[in-house]
Amino acid sequence: MNKPSNTDSAEQKITRTVSVAVIGAGTAGQNAFRQASKTRDDIVIINEGFWTTTCIQVGCMPSKLLIAAADRAHEANHSADFGVHATTQIDGKRVMERVREERSHFASYIKKQVESWPEDKKIDGRAYINQQGLIEVNNELIDAKKIIVATGSSTFIPDGWADKLGATLLTSDTVFELNDLPKSLAVVGAGAIGLELAQAFTRLGVEVTLFNRVKRVAGLKDDDINNKAIDCLSHELTMHLGSDIKDVGTRHTDTQDHPEQTAFINYEDSAGEARQWQGEYVLVATGRRNTIKQLGIENLGVELDDKNRPKNLSIKTGQIGDLNVYIVGDANAHIPLLHVASDEGYSAGNMICGNEKDAYIRPPALPFSIVFCSPQIVNVGMSLPEIQQDPELEYVIGRVSFDNQGRSRVMGVNCGLLHIYGCKKTDRILGASMIGPDAEYIGHILATAITNDLNIKDMLDTPFYHPTILEGLRTALRDVQHKMEIPYQYHDTQEDSF
Ligand SMILES: Cc1cc2nc3c(=O)[nH]c(=O)nc-3n(C[C@H](O)[C@H](O)[C@H](O)COP(=O)(O)OP(=O)(O)OC[C@H]3O[C@@H](n4cnc5c(N)ncnc54)[C@H](O)[C@@H]3O)c2cc1C
Ligand SMILES: NC(=O)c1ccc[n+]([C@@H]2O[C@H](COP(=O)([O-])OP(=O)(O)OC[C@H]3O[C@@H](n4cnc5c(N)ncnc54)[C@H](O)[C@@H]3O)[C@@H](O)[C@H]2O)c1
């Protein structure tokens, strides 16, 4: 460990010396601990808060459980066009109860695992790395030869909002604890969290208004896809994009002798008009930030950039330069997604013990993200601005609209657009961006193609079953091929495909 030399007094206070300390027991930390435990016995894992991971407790799983309920309601409420008339009654208490019941089910597996780990290797508390490079936690002072930092990220709340909104403020940490569905809700932030939750609550009958300071959703970087996403989503979501929130707060209102607190948001809309929203809760989804600065990470010789991202991070292994420090998962703010946290933790746990054969020493995972709104939003590989920045990459854009695509129309989910960025020189896919039905599957197929270096011909040689939404992918691939002027298959038009 590259630590400043210990003072005598610091050495005297050391309560244990270990070869590996893992800080943070989320997905990345637990994977790291499990792997490192295979070859090391003197290892410790330190965690503050729940040991059942952000994903299960307040992240991926409860959000998808809420979306599952919302989708049921949406189907039932939007079937009249098919001649199917249903009357829905949404039991908000049961909706929230199921979210928590199923969450407990998923959490039970993790709990069981964590409970099987020796008690003396688990420390429940907040770790801090002091100036000597030693870990302070509870009453312990730990000298770890190597450290894996897997401390995740936490909700970012704009300055002062927590005090001003008080009990009317919700975040993804608290929203799944609601006992019933609210009547009205403002969601601030149209990133993945904001979009998924705003649409789910809307579908469950909550009066939702979504705010975002830019005219962009899900951070989409391809303008055409962004515009299409706004078009598809605005069919059911009230969105104020490009609005500037000036102030937030609460006021007391008396309804039938029953004092109530309501929240308000003062904002300037995209036309510059001063406006106000009022309602029951404000769900803040304005991003997440890693928390490594508060950990005292600089005391290990790790340098941070102006966004608190570690410099000299190996994105293959999570190692920081040649330090005995690995920063993995959301903590390194590289790609804050579950599958990345999982892989990075696994690799670091092996690498730190010199077990390279079991680590994923392979090219870093391809960028790949899915937002589970409806239609889904997917990005794979390079973004359009990244491609445009590199003059060497001669690219074409193959496209397909899902507005009139056969199976999408059959299913009544026909809104969307897919752009595939193809490289003329290599006949390979550089990346893709889309909003549309079945986007999660289309995204996986494109990710497989890029990862395995398949060319457009390889892709088009693959059978596409009829009638599927995935036939839309073939149409976009043919468009790429056509624009590259590679003579191969006939080029049909979108209309020919059904
Ligand atoms: C609402 C929501 C929905 C999401 N949906 C998806 C999705 O659908 N798909 C997807 O891929 N990703 C999703 N994510 C992101 C995904 O959950 C994270 O990328 C992933 O959980 C990060 O795992 P991690 O191990 O890095 O951190 P975490 O699981 O957050 O673990 C970090 C742990 O470190 C602890 N800790 C922090 N500081 C200290 C300290 N100083 N001392 C001791 N312990 C400390 C924390 O308390 C925590 O227990 C979602 C996130 C949210 C919030
Ligand atoms: N399906 C998924 O994979 C999934 C789902 C949820 C979360 N996540 C992960 O969680 C991370 C955090 O998600 P997120 O949605 O909170 O963050 P984000 O950074 O993706 O989006 C935040 C949004 O809030 C807006 N914003 C910020 N400050 C604002 C303000 N003052 N007023 C109005 N708008 C404001 C930003 O413009 C942006 O659109 C994501 O990066 C993602 O990695 C993933």
Side-chain angles (χ1 to χ4, degrees), residues 228 231-233 235 375 402-404 408 413-417 435-437:
K228 188 66 196 175
D231 171 34
C232 296
L233 293 167
H235 294 166
F402 287 90
D403 295 357
N404 210 19
S408 308
V413 290
N414 48 317
C415 194
L417 179 65
I435 172 149

Side-chain angles (χ1 to χ4, degrees), residues 16 44-47 51 122-125 137-138 140 142:
R16 38 176 138 175
V44 74
I45 182 162
I46 306 161
N47 188 60
W51 288 67
K122 294 180 283 190
I123 300 178
D124 202 341
V137 53
N138 305 337
E140 290 222 46
I142 301 169

Side-chain angles (χ1 to χ4, degrees), residues 445 458-475 477-478:
I445 291 172
D458 296 329
M459 296 287 291
L460 284 170
D461 281 345
T462 309
F464 285 83
Y465 209 84
H466 178 75
T468 58
I469 292 175
L470 292 174
E471 284 176 304
L473 168 62
R474 182 179 57 185
T475 306
L477 288 166
R478 284 176 175 167

Side-chain angles (χ1 to χ4, degrees), residues 64 158 161 188-194 196 211-214 216 245 285-288 336-337 370-372:
K64 271 71 236 176
W161 285 24
V188 185
I193 295 181
E196 289 182 357
F211 293 89
N212 203 51
R213 64 176 163 207
V214 288
R216 209 159 274 285
I245 296 181
T286 48
R288 291 175 66 83
L337 292 175
I370 303 172
V371 180
F372 294 92

Side-chain angles (χ1 to χ4, degrees), residues 310-324:
K311 292 183 184 173
N312 307 316
L313 169 80
S314 158
I315 50 174
K316 268 192 183 180
T317 64
Q319 191 173 8
I320 307 299
D322 57 3
L323 299 176
N324 280 321

Side-chain angles (χ1 to χ4, degrees), residues 163-215:
D163 287 340
K164 287 180 177 177
L165 287 168
T168 67
L169 172 95
L170 292 173
T171 67
S172 52
D173 288 347
T174 55
V175 69
F176 305 114
E177 309 312 317
L178 288 175
N179 284 324
D180 202 346
L181 291 168
K183 286 188 192 63
S184 59
L185 180 70
V187 176
V188 185
I193 295 181
L195 281 180
E196 289 182 357
L197 296 182
Q199 190 181 51
F201 280 115
T202 301
R203 289 185 163 192
L204 289 165
V206 179
E207 199 184 296
V208 177
T209 309
L210 177 65
F211 293 89
N212 203 51
R213 64 176 163 207
V214 288
K215 283 192 178 171

